Amino acid sequence: MMKFPQFSMLPFLMVVVMLSLSGTTLSHPHWDFLHCLSLRLANYSTISKVIYVQNNPSYSSVLNASIHNTRFSTPASPKPFAIITPLKTSHVRSTLYCSKKHGFQLRIRSGGHDVEGLSYVSEVPFVILDLLNFRAIKVDTKNEVAWVQSGATLGELYYAIAAKTNTLAFPAGMCHTVGAGGHFSGGGYGTLFRKYGLAADNIIDARMIDVNGRILDRKSMGEDVFWAIRGGGGNTFGIVLAWKIKLVPVPAVVTVFTVNKNLEQNATKIFHRWQYIAHKLPDDLFMNIWITKVNSSQVGMKTVQATFRGMLLGGVDELITLIQDKFPELGLAEENCNEMSWIESVLYFGGLPLQSVDILLDKNALPTLSLKAKSDYVKEPIPESGIEGLMSMFLEEEADNAIAMIPAFGGKMDEIPENELPYPHRAGNLFEATYLVQWTKEENAESEKYISWSRRLYSYMTPYVSKSPREAYVNYRDLDLGINNINDYTSDEQASIWGFKYFKNNFKRLVQVKTKVDPMNFFRNEQSIPPLLSPWKKKGN
Ligand code: FDA
C-alpha cells in the first residue's frame, strides 16, 4: 500500500472515490498521474470539473465534443487515459508537470480539427489537454488588435470582432468550428489571404507555456520561438494559451459570388483559363474553385461541377466590371452576386444559412463526417487534358462526397518572403489544391476504399504539381507523407521527408528551435519536428 503524507491525501482520495464509483481500475502510472494532478489541483470541485477519466459519465461526451473527423471515433480508436480541461493557467502547468513526471504523452487540443486526429488519438499512453475553457476573446478596436485564447473557434473570433465593428476583420480560415490554437500553429488562410496573408502573418504576440512550465510572451520566448510557433505545426514547441492578433480593415460592404459550371457547360476549359488569370487579379479579390460530383441535367446521370466562388472587398458594379474585363469566360452576372457585410460573408463561405450570425457560436451547426485530406501546390498551369482527367476521377463511386478546394494564390502571398514564417508556400504558386474525400461514420468499415481513392487522385496529379519537394500544407496534415518513430528517436533526416514538403528550407530552422526549446522531445506527435540527437539518446538509452 502506497503511503502519502496525511495533509495531501484528501484531494487524491476524492479522485479515487470518483474513480471507484465509475468502475475504473488503475494501474501504477495512471494512479501516480492522478495522484500528482489531484495534489496540485487541491480541491474536489476543481477536480470534478477538470479531470475526466475513462468511465466517468461525461468522458465520452467531452472526448467527442471536439472530434471533427469521425474516422477516429470508432470503438477501436485509441482513447486517452484522461482528458484534462483546465480552467486556468496553473491547471495547464500542473497537467504538463504530471504528464512529464509520469510518462504520459500530452496531446493538446483546441478546435479538434486535426485532419489525422493527432490532437485526440495516440498509439502510446496519453492524456488530452483540452483547451475548451480557454476561449476568451478581447477585441480592442481602437488599437485594431485582439487577444484570442487558443480554444476559441474562428466563428467565435469573427463573431466577437463583428460585435464591435463592421470595418475590421481577421484573415483566417473559412470553417467556423476550426480552433485558433491548431489553425494559427499551421498558418491558416481564408477569403482575406490574398489581401493580408495568413492568420499567422497577422500574429503579433503570444502567451505560451514551455516544456519547463515557464509562461512566456514574445519577448521572453525570443524571436526564434515566436517565429516557429506561427506555422511550424502544433504540439511541438509548447502549449500556446493565447495569441495577440492584428485586425485588418474591410469595407462595410463586400460582394460575394458563385458561378457553377459543369462538364457540359465547359467547366474544364474555364478552369484551364482561370489558371492564367486568377493569381494576377487585384488582391481585393478572393477566388476559389470547388470540384464536386453533382446530378446532371440528364435524369439519373452524374456530372462534375466546378464552382467558382469568390469575394471582392468592394461593391457589385466594381466586381462585374473587373471580371468582365479580365475573365469574361466566367460569364459573371449580377444575379450571381450578393452585397453583404464581411461577417455575413463568413456565413456564406462557411456553408451556413444567411440568417443570424449567432450560428457562428454553434459548434454543431454542420454535420461531422469521416475524412482524409491531401494537398498540393501548383506552379504551372495544368493542361486541359490534365484537368479533364482530374474531373473524371470525381465521377468515380468513391467521390460522392469528395471535394477539391482550389484557392487562387498571388497578391500578398507573393510579397512575403519564404522564410518570413515557417509556412513557405508563397511567390510562384498559382494555387493550392486540397483533395478532401468524405464518408459517413456508418461507412467507416469501408474507409480504405475512400482513402485509396484520395491516394490515386494524388498519384494522378503528380506530373502537374510542385516537385522536389512536392509541397504540402501542414494544416491539411497527411500521414501518408511519413511519420516519426512512435517509441524511438527520429532523426531530422527521416523527418525531413515530410518536413521539407511542409516547410521547405524552413524545416532546418524549425529543428534548431525545437532542439533549443524542447531537447528531450516531450511535445511530440506523429509529424512534430524532432530535435537533433537528444541528450537522452546520447546517454545510450
Ligand atoms: P486541433 O485541436 O486538432 O489541433 C491541431 C494541431 O495543433 C494538433 O497537433 C494539436 O495538438 C495542435 N494544437 C492545438 N492547439 C494547440 C495549442 N494551443 N498549442 C500548441 N499546439 C496546439 N485550414 C485553413 O487554413 N483554412 C480553412 O479554411 C480550413 N478549413 C478547414 C475545414 C475543416 C472541416 C477541417 C477539418 C480543417 C480545415 N482547415 C482549414 C485545417 C485547419 O486549419 C487545421 O486542421 C488546424 O490545425 C485545426 O486547428 P484546431 O485547433 O481546430 O485543431
Side-chain angles (χ1 to χ4, degrees):
M1 169 87 178
M2 293 170 92
K3 281 207 173 134
F4 304 108
Q6 206 56 47
F7 69 89
S8 62
M9 284 296 278
L10 193 60
F12 180 55
L13 282 177
M14 288 186 286
V15 174
V16 172
V17 171
M18 281 161 56
L19 294 171
S20 52
L21 284 176
S22 67
T24 300
T25 348
L26 291 177
S27 60
H28 262 297
H30 296 155
W31 183 273
D32 295 343
F33 172 81
L34 282 180
H35 179 238
C36 174
L37 202 54
S38 61
L39 288 185
R40 293 177 70 105
L41 299 188
N43 75 65
Y44 179 76
S45 106
T46 305
I47 288 169
S48 63
K49 282 186 209 133
V50 169
I51 307 177
Y52 296 87
V53 286
Q54 291 182 8
N55 296 342
N56 176 313
S58 302
Y59 173 90
S60 294
S61 62
V62 175
L63 177 64
N64 292 329
S66 295
I67 289 189
H68 287 282
N69 186 350
T70 53
R71 176 153 69 106
F72 302 108
S73 61
T74 68
S77 308
K79 304 281 185 294
F81 156 61
I83 308 161
I84 315 299
T85 60
L87 297 167
K88 47 189 186 181
T89 304
S90 63
H91 300 165
V92 179
R93 295 175 79 197
S94 300
T95 309
L96 171 64
Y97 174 84
C98 297
S99 328
K100 257 170 66 181
K101 189 162 179 205
H102 297 294
F104 281 95
Q105 204 172 96
L106 193 67
R107 293 294 168 115
I108 310 162
R109 184 162 76 169
S110 288
H113 277 263
D114 190 290
V115 179
E116 297 280 10
L118 299 193
S119 58
Y120 52 88
V121 172
S122 169
E123 293 297 332
V124 298
F126 71 112
V127 298
I128 295 178
L129 178 77
D130 193 322
L131 295 174
L132 67 90
N133 296 315
F134 274 69
R135 302 228 303 279
I137 298 163
K138 215 167 142 193
V139 177
D140 171 359
T141 48
K142 188 161 160 265
N143 294 303
E144 303 188 350
V145 295
W147 271 101
V148 49
Q149 287 189 317
S150 284
T153 62
L154 298 183
E156 289 166 336
L157 172 60
Y158 298 152
Y159 184 93
I161 297 170
K164 292 212 163 176
T165 170
N166 64 352
T167 53
L168 289 173
F170 188 64
M174 287 181 271
C175 173
H176 78 288
T177 49
V178 163
H183 188 64
F184 297 177
S185 297
Y189 59 75
T191 58
L192 295 171
F193 88 118
R194 296 189 72 247
K195 177 79 175 175
Y196 297 113
L198 307 172
D201 293 322
N202 292 278
I203 291 166
I204 50 179
D205 205 340
R207 213 168 118 82
M208 184 187 99
I209 299 190
D210 76 359
V211 70
N212 298 313
R214 291 178 306 173
I215 301 170
L216 305 172
D217 63 5
R218 176 176 186 166
K219 194 157 172 242
S220 51
M221 76 178 77
E223 285 303 305
D224 266 349
V225 179
F226 186 59
W227 173 85
I229 60 172
R230 287 174 296 158
N235 222 104
T236 302
F237 304 100
I239 305 160
V240 183
L241 299 174
W243 313 77
K244 186 176 185 182
I245 59 175
K246 196 170 66 189
L247 304 179
V248 299
V250 286
V253 174
V254 303
T255 308
V256 300
F257 63 93
T258 299
V259 177
N260 291 318
K261 299 283 181 190
N262 64 31
L263 290 176
E264 294 79 49
Q265 296 162 324
N266 266 339
T268 308
K269 275 195 175 1
I270 301 171
F271 180 175
H272 181 251
R273 181 82 191 115
W274 177 89
Q275 302 177 98
Y276 291 86
I277 297 164
H279 66 286
K280 292 193 223 147
L281 290 168
D283 57 13
D284 279 343
L285 185 77
F286 165 78
M287 222 204 281
N288 198 3
I289 304 180
W290 275 29
I291 310 282
T292 51
K293 183 196 282 189
V294 295
N295 288 331
S296 152
S297 54
Q298 295 171 42
V299 180
M301 302 291 280
K302 295 282 181 189
T303 183
V304 179
Q305 178 169 284
T307 299
F308 296 81
R309 186 166 288 162
M311 178 174 88
L312 180 76
L313 297 171
V316 65
D317 295 341
E318 191 189 339
L319 173 68
I320 290 182
T321 310
L322 175 70
I323 298 294
Q324 278 175 357
D325 178 33
K326 306 280 186 203
F327 190 27
E329 297 84 347
L330 187 63
L332 181 74
E334 201 161 337
E335 65 258 28
N336 307 124
C337 307
N338 246 317
E339 287 188 339
M340 56 180 63
S341 62
W342 167 75
I343 195 67
E344 287 168 328
S345 80
V346 170
L347 303 180
Y348 185 83
F349 285 99
L352 299 168
L354 284 177
Q355 284 153 6
S356 164
V357 292
D358 289 354
I359 199 164
L360 291 174
L361 307 179
D362 180 358
K363 287 189 183 178
N364 300 312
L366 295 171
T368 297
L369 291 167
S370 295
L371 51 97
K372 167 79 190 164
K374 300 175 93 62
S375 62
D376 265 322
Y377 288 84
V378 176
K379 295 169 194 287
E380 300 289 337
I382 304 174
E384 236 178 273
S385 58
I387 298 176
E388 259 164 36
L390 167 68
M391 303 286 244
S392 67
M393 287 201 69
F394 279 79
L395 286 171
E396 292 178 18
E397 182 203 330
E398 297 86 343
D400 279 356
N401 279 310
I403 313 171
M405 299 182 291
I406 303 178
F409 267 50
K412 181 81 177 172
M413 293 298 279
D414 277 354
E415 292 163 23
I416 300 175
E418 266 189 24
N419 59 359
E420 180 85 9
L421 288 185
Y423 181 99
H425 322 285
R426 306 282 190 169
N429 288 297
L430 306 182
F431 53 87
E432 188 249 354
T434 300
Y435 322 112
L436 194 68
V437 61
Q438 306 176 102
W439 60 96
T440 62
K441 189 176 177 181
E442 292 65 43
E443 294 172 290
N444 268 344
E446 297 170 83
S447 295
E448 227 18 74
K449 174 176 101 177
Y450 295 102
I451 295 171
S452 303
W453 178 85
S454 76
R455 290 179 182 145
R456 268 188 289 125
L457 178 66
Y458 188 73
S459 160
Y460 169 80
M461 291 300 286
T462 309
Y464 309 119
V465 298
S466 61
K467 294 171 186 59
S468 310
R470 182 169 182 174
E471 297 170 35
Y473 178 26
V474 69
N475 262 351
Y476 288 117
R477 194 190 295 289
D478 176 8
L479 294 188
D480 291 351
L481 303 180
I483 58 168
N484 287 313
N485 300 327
I486 308 275
N487 283 313
D488 198 7
Y489 176 72
T490 300
S491 70
D492 57 318
E493 194 188 338
Q494 182 183 335
S496 70
I497 295 167
W498 62 92
F500 273 97
K501 291 179 191 297
Y502 289 145
F503 308 112
K504 296 175 78 176
N505 270 328
N506 296 330
F507 174 72
K508 293 181 200 154
R509 184 170 170 198
L510 288 169
V511 171
Q512 282 164 7
V513 177
K514 173 73 177 178
T515 308
K516 209 162 72 182
V517 79
D518 181 20
M520 303 296 278
N521 204 17
F522 174 73
F523 292 112
R524 64 182 188 275
N525 63 32
E526 284 74 356
Q527 279 188 341
S528 56
I529 306 283
L532 290 171
L533 198 57
S534 69
W536 170 79
K537 195 68 193 169
K538 277 187 193 143
K539 276 189 217 143
N541 289 303

